[in-house]
Each structure stands twice: as structure tokens, then as C-alpha cells.
Amino acid sequence: MTAHAHGASAHPAAGRETGAPASGLLQARDVTMQFGGLTAVNQVSLDIHRGEILGLIGPNGAGKTTFFNCLTGMYPPTSGSVLLDGQVLPPKPRKVAAAGVSRTFQNIRLFHNMTALENVMVARYCRTRTNALDAIFRLPRHRREEVETREVSQRWLEFVGLGHTTDLLSRNLPYGDQRRLEIARALALEPKLLLLDEPTAGMNPQETREAEELIQRIRGLDIAVLVIEHDMRFIFSLCDRVVCLVRGEVLVEGTPAEVQHDPRVIEAYIGGSVDLPNAAPAPEASLAHLQPSNPVLEMPPNAANPILGARRRRGDHDA
Amino acid sequence: MNRPAFLASFERFAAPGRLVALVGTALLLAAPMLPWAYRPALDDMTFWFAPSPLQWCGLALTVVLLACLVLGWVVRPQGRRSLGRRLNFNRGARAAAIALLAFVAVVLVASALELAGLVALEPGGWLALAGAMLAASGVLTLPRGEEPTLRTLRSPAWLQILGIVLALAFVLFVAAYGLDLDDPGAFFSFGVWAGVVVWVAAQVGLLGWLSTAAGQNRSVLVLSAFVVAFVFPFTQNGSDANMSIAAGVLIFAATAMGLNIVVGLAGLLDLGYIAFLGAGAFTAAVLSESAFATIGWSPPFPIVVLISGCVSALLGLLIGSPTLRVSGDYLAIVTLAFGEIFRISMNNLDGTDGPNLTRGSNGIPAIPNLDFFGFDFGSPHDIFGITIGRFANYYWLLLLVMGLIILVFTNLNRSRIGRGWVAIREDERAAEAMGVNTFGLKLLAFAGGAFLAGVAGSVKAHVDVSVTPDQYIFLESAFLVAGIVLGGMGTVGGVLVGATVLKLLPEKLRFFEDYRLLTFGLLLVVMMRFRPEGLMPDERRQLEFHDDDEELADEVADDVAAHRVGSVVEGTSAEPGSGATAKGDHR
């Protein structure tokens, strides 16, 4: 794999390295993902520290989800590498999951005809060792692990506040609960890093607040969280650091305060007709100014809104 | 099923309708006392006041109809938890009357076909038909009411156990009596009767209750199912012909059960599965003491069984590891080709085109009977004064194999491996992202299924005496898949029902042999239209076919919750609906 060719040591100073290596949990080094002629993710380098909440923002089509897929092994990156605790992650989703990176999906991908508990129990698969013979002959290991799996899974359900839904089919759960169940399922993998792909999409303000509180509690478990969101209020109040991805490249990285006042970010969202790195700053604009009074930035990504329009205009320039 | 709108307008006439139905019932009660036919046809229905067995069957159904009519009138559905709401007598009456009409019609048509035509029918038969028609038209006016909810009734354990035992006794009676019927018309009529009885039970709500009871008393169910299966040979009066059919059904069912792991649990369509049965059979044949065996080594049978299983599993790994990366249709085509490759290879390993291993199309004949510690499977034994012949001996051995396969099936299903399979069926990429070894699990299903087929094949070699390549053709694979689809994917009971229907009917209805494929084709088309999930589906599977059925979803959720009582865990709930019709179910 190309991933192996580019070790961390090969490019120690590559990208926008901000954290000290000692506290780094996950390091993405020059991750590039090309689909034919389209470069969806271009030379992205990113460090995630232990126990931090990192926000990943960017207009639609910026490559956020593709970057997620590169991190989790669903797409093997065209070049670059991803390291977890200094080890190169294998380009296979289940091995990445076993190594300690788990995720949720932008469009909910639960096992719809399984109960909530069973959904969570599936994620315990790579944390249990029962083999076929243990299962067929009901050997002690099977019994012990099944009881344990059930208890652990139930605890995760309770952790996200779904303790009462144990035996409900996941397809019968309300939308917000399905999102939380996906998080419970991801947590049951015992990850070191949790990747959340738009965890509040389609949620009402009340549910969004609950999600925020839930993510804070996840951080309390010493699990780092990387979250993609379009809801700027959510991102800026929750995250320790924010990275803005535009056209597959890291545009800005910094604290929420830095990012939300960065003119280039505003440019990227509202749109402009200039080359992004040299964008002329719009002096008094800031996402924070726009954001509380402007519902645009809280809209779900697919709603018709100016941001979508901005992306389309940029798309024209790309072509 | 949606009810035609015009039927709803009939409900105004419910009271006179019930009266008409009662009159019809009275006629049906009287009819068996009269002769139905001029000469003995299906069975002897020529006597006054001496009903034949088939007439007794009709009479029993008539009593059920009468009870439903009267109770549906007397017991009003009051309150959510009243018995009148839980049991739907009106539906039962409707089903029983229609069932009786079908049964009487089948009996009369079959009699007329076997005798000189309709002229050979006596007034009794016509009276029964008139009664059935009256009853059927009368019940159409009855209000349909709600779905019965007897399944959620809490009932004492002894009652549940009694229900299971009675249901299995009914199964034993149907199997024993049905297999003994030589006359095709009588067999068919009896089969129709057994089918409609189950249908009536389902309509009243009794089947739902039985399935709940079976789910809560699995050990009782398993034990009594095994006892029923075990005592079955004693009911056949030493008839080797009947037991050979029974052994054939068991081989087919055991193989289909192995395939059900692949198709029903892991969701992989395998159209060449018969090759694994063949590989096991050929392995057992060349390692047997047959004079034609090409390998001069014949280890004891238990070792042969293991080797056969391993050879098949190895083939499974060989074919599975490159192909399981593709999914769905591609896999089906590759396995189909593999089945053909196997058959042709076995034909060619004859000493001229290749090494002489299988003696080509002649196969390996004269495989001797098994002999365990002096127990010769080939010779009859007398137990309790009943002769147990050759096929009955093998029947018991096959029962053991069947038990093993059911054990593997259910226990794998109810473990982390089974959960992984469900997850793969639901969303393979999400399963992979959640750390499930999807490829490994698919390969395990494939190789494990092949192993079990190999084990079944090693016994089949001895039952059949000779093994030839032309026993393992594509059509057999197709029948195995058809048996699973017909019975219901992913369940033990479903496979047993499907295998019995597909294997028993052709044996008993020989006169219809030329139309066998046509009939099965039609049957499958009809099934796909009206009940794509099969006769006794796994509930989760059923949900996959009926994505928008909220009521069903709630039921399934209830059952998954209920099943957890008293068991360590279950990945996917095994089917509860097997109580009344299945021969066996495991845990």
C-alpha cells in the first residue's frame, strides 16, 4: 500500500502539525484521495490529540466525508498515511475499527431489523473471541462472553440515554434516537477516537443540545472526538479546535474563535470569485456575527441555501 | 391481505348468514353417516353410519366449524384482554368453512377420477358438498374482526407443554397416517386436510399461542420433537418402503438445513450446494469396503464421516475464498458453475480421462451396510415386536446427523457469529466498519455448510448403496434452494416443512411425475407473489420482505424480548412458529 510507503518519519515536518507528538493520538500525513481525475482530498495533514474534540467544517463537497472514509479505511488513500499511536492504520475498515477508531455515518446506517441492543452487541464483535466451536457446544467462554457482551452493550445504551429501548427494533426508534444509537454502537467498540459524521443533522435545537452534552461526556471518557458538522453554533461551542476543509485542502486550523473570525472561512462559506488563499478579507464579517441571527448556517446540508449556492459557484471555477 | 370492499357490505346479513352456515354445518355433520361413493375409492366410503378415516377427518373439521360458529355468536369481543378478542372465532369459522369446502371438493374430485366419474358418487358426497357450500357462503357475511392476539396471553407452563405435546402428537399422526396411505387421491386429500387444519388454527389465533409457548419451552419442544421423530419408525409396521421415503426426506432435509446456514443465515445464494453432498458421498464410497472402491483403505465409519466432512469443507474453502469477495448474483453463478464442474470431474475421474478415482459414470456400487459394534444396519431387528428394517436403522442414524446439523445451525445463529451474519445481511459495509470480519464470517458459513453436507453425504452413500455422478446434478441444488425458499429462510421448522413437501409429494404422487417441475415452478411463483418469506419464516427475514409493516415490526420486537427469558442470549430469534407443523425444532 502507498500508506506504508509514507511513514510519519518520512515527512516529519509535513503539513500543519500543531500538537506535540507525545500527545498526538491520530496523525494524518499528507492524505490524498483521488477518484480518477478528481482530487477529493488533497495533502491533508491533521493531528488529533488525546481527549480533544476536533471540529471539521467546510462547505458541502469539501471532502470531509471522504477524509473520514480515508481515516477509517473505507477508501485506501491514494497517497499519504494515517497513524494511530504511531502505528500505521491498515486500510481495512474492520482492522481500523479493531485498532480503536470507530465512526457513525452521515446517513444513518443502523441494522434496521435488529433491536437497539443487538445493534450495539454487533459492535462488540471484535472485542470478543468466541469461535464457532465455543458457540456450537456452548462452551464456558461463549456463555461468559455473551453475558458480558449483553451487559456492556446495555451500559452503552444507557450511557447515551437509550436504556429503555433495549428490545425495540432500531427502525422503530425516532430519528434522534437512531443517531444516538449509532453513537452507542460506535462507542461499544471501545474506540480511542470517535468520528462523528454530522451527528446533529436533522435534529431540533433541544436534541442538538443533548448531543452536545453527550459528546462532552464522551470526551470525559478520554475518547477523542472528530466531528463533522454544518451547525456552526454547535461546532464553535463544542470543539477545542476547528479545522476548515475547502476543496479537499485544509484552509484554516485553530481555536473556534480564530476560525470563526477568519475571513477566508467566511469567504469559503458565503462564496467569492477569487483564489482562496489570497482572498481579500472582508474586515468586519465573522461567522459569529452571521451565525446567531442567520439561520442559514444551521440548515441541514441539503436544504437550499446560499452556502450551497456558493459551493456551486466554486465548482464552476474548479471545472 | 386486503379484503374486497363488497364483502364488507355483506356484514349486514351476519345473523341470517350465521344461520345459513349452521344449516350447512348440520348437513356436513350428517353427510359422513351416508355413503359417499359407489365403490371404495380413496378409502372405503361406501357404508351407512360408518365413516371412513377421511370422513372422520371431515367430521372433525366440521365440529371445529360448529364450535367457531356458536362461540363467535355467544362470546362477544369485550375488553382488550377478553378471550373473545384474543381468539377470533369468526375468522376461525370462515377459515373452517372454506377449508371444508376445499376438502370436500378435493375428496369428491379425487373419488370421481378414480372411479367411473361423477356418476359413481353417492348422495352423501353431494350432501356434504351442498353443506360445505352453504356454510362457506354463510360465513362470508360474518364480520372479520381484528387479528387475534392469543400469542401475548400469559398461560401456565403445564398448559403450554400440553399444547406442544398435542401439536406434536398431531404431527406424528399426520406423518404416520399420511405416509401409510398408498392411494394418491387419499394421500392428497389427507394432505389438504392437514394443511387446512393448520390454516384454521392460524386464523383462530391458536398457532400464535403455540409459537409463543414453543418459544418459552424450547427444551420441552426439542425433547418431544425428538421423541416423536424417534418413535416414528414404530408406527410404520416394519414397512421398508415407507421408511426408505422417510430416510430420503431426512437426507434431503439435513442437506437443506446445511444449505440454510449459507442461504438463510449468511445470506449467500449457493446454487451448487449438491456438489458438497456429492463430495461427501464419493469420499465415503471410495473409503468404503465396496469391492469397487478405488482406494484400498477403509477406516472405521466415524473417521470416514470426518474425512468426508473435511473434504467437502476444503472444497468449500477452495471455491469460497476467491468468490466470496463478490456478492449476490455473481456468487450464485460461480457456485452454479462449480456444481457442474464437480459433476463433470466425477464423470471424468474414470481412469481414461484422469486417474481412476470414481469409476466415471458407473460410480461406485455395492457399498456395504454399516456395522456398529455388531449392529448390522442392513438386517431387520425386532424391537417390542415391531420389525425395524434396514431403512429404519438408517433413519435413526440420519436423525442423529440431523440433530448435529440443527445444533450447529441454532447455536451458531444465537451467538456473536449469528449476529454478525444478520449485520452482514442488513448492511455489509456498516458491519465491516463496526469491526465485523465479514469475509471470514461468510467463509465460515460457506465452509461450515459444506462440512455438514459432506457428513450427510457420507451417510447417504451407505443408504443408497451406490454413488454415481448423475445423482448430483444442478436440478438437485435447485430443489434444495426451493425447499428453503418454500419453507422459510433461516428457520429449522421451515426447512423441515419445505423438505417434506418437496420430497414426500413426488414419492406419493407418482402419477403426477411428468408435471413435477411444472407444479413446483407454479408453486414457487405463487409463493413469491403471496408469501415471499416462505411458509415458516424467520421473523427478521419476514421483516426484510415486508419493510413497511409496522404491526409485524412490533410483534417481532415483542418476541425478541420474550425469547430472552430463560436463555443466555440469542443473536437472532429462532422461529417460534414451528410448533404445530414442524417435526422438530432445536432449543
Side-chain angles (χ1 to χ4, degrees), chain B residues 24 29 176 191 251 353 544 564:
Chain B
L29 283 174
I251 292 175
D353 296 317
E544 288 165 20
R564 209 177 65 228

Side-chain angles (χ1 to χ4, degrees), chain B residues 70-429:
Chain B
V70 172
L71 287 172
W73 188 33
V74 175
V75 183
R76 295 281 153 193
Q78 300 156 326
R80 264 191 79 238
R81 308 211 165 271
S82 73
L83 204 61
R85 182 63 61 85
R86 289 191 181 280
L87 279 160
N88 193 326
F89 292 115
N90 282 349
R91 282 194 187 202
R94 184 194 303 274
I98 293 169
L100 266 167
L101 184 58
F103 174 65
V104 170
V106 164
V107 168
L108 293 186
V109 169
S111 305
L113 283 175
E114 291 193 9
L115 298 174
L118 292 176
V119 73
L121 299 182
E122 291 274 349
W126 297 115
L127 191 69
L129 188 64
M133 287 167 94
L134 271 182
S137 51
V139 293
L140 284 182
T141 64
L142 297 183
R144 191 176 158 88
E146 291 166 19
E147 194 82 36
T149 58
L150 197 66
R151 55 187 298 125
T152 57
L153 180 74
R154 284 181 198 287
S155 37
W158 66 266
L159 196 63
Q160 293 187 332
I161 292 170
L162 186 69
I164 294 170
V165 170
L166 285 180
L168 284 170
F170 176 75
V171 171
L172 181 63
F173 162 70
V174 169
Y177 185 73
L179 198 54
D180 221 15
L181 286 171
D182 290 327
D183 183 275
F187 176 81
F188 189 70
S189 308
F190 185 71
V192 168
W193 179 79
V196 294
V197 165
V198 173
W199 182 51
V200 172
Q203 288 291 313
V204 177
L206 214 54
L207 212 54
W209 177 77
L210 262 178
S211 75
T212 310
Q216 288 171 1
N217 298 279
R218 288 200 166 263
S219 45
V220 175
L221 180 69
V222 174
L223 194 70
S224 38
F226 198 77
V227 167
V228 163
F230 182 78
V231 301
F232 177 70
F234 292 109
T235 64
Q236 294 302 310
N237 298 321
S239 159
D240 239 13
N242 286 350
M243 286 318 294
S244 97
I245 296 176
V249 169
L250 263 191
I251 292 175
F252 187 83
T255 317
M257 193 78 71
L259 178 58
N260 206 10
I261 295 179
V262 183
V263 176
L265 298 187
L268 307 164
L269 184 51
D270 184 348
L271 291 180
Y273 192 72
I274 200 74
F276 299 127
L277 184 74
F282 268 108
T283 309
V286 297
L287 294 180
S288 73
E289 284 168 8
S290 161
F292 300 93
T294 46
I295 295 180
W297 180 51
S298 40
F301 186 66
I303 295 177
V304 172
V305 168
L306 271 184
I307 297 176
S308 303
C310 289
V311 166
S312 286
L314 200 66
L315 279 177
L317 284 178
L318 217 62
I319 189 71
S321 45
T323 53
L324 285 176
R325 294 177 198 280
V326 301
S327 57
D329 309 344
Y330 300 102
L331 183 68
I333 291 167
V334 171
T335 51
L336 192 155
F338 167 70
E340 283 303 285
I341 291 170
F342 172 80
R343 183 180 61 84
I344 293 167
S345 307
M346 292 303 109
N347 257 325
N348 286 344
L349 293 175
D350 58 357
T352 48
D353 296 317
N356 187 9
L357 196 62
T358 64
R359 301 184 67 253
S361 55
N362 295 325
I364 294 173
I367 299 167
N369 281 305
L370 292 173
D371 195 332
F372 282 170
F373 308 110
F375 183 89
D376 182 6
F377 278 70
S379 57
H381 301 262
D382 277 343
I383 302 177
F384 306 131
I386 296 169
T387 313
I388 296 301
R390 173 175 184 274
F391 283 104
N393 294 334
Y394 281 113
Y395 170 90
W396 279 329
L397 182 62
L398 285 164
L399 214 55
L400 213 63
V401 173
M402 189 75 171
L404 169 79
I405 296 179
I406 293 179
L407 183 83
V408 172
F409 180 92
T410 49
N411 281 358
L412 278 185
N413 194 11
R414 291 144 57 80
S415 72
R416 88 196 243 272
I417 294 167
R419 276 194 299 278
W421 281 331
V422 180
I424 290 173
R425 278 186 352 231
E426 297 259 324
D427 186 339
E428 186 165 345
R429 296 207 61 187

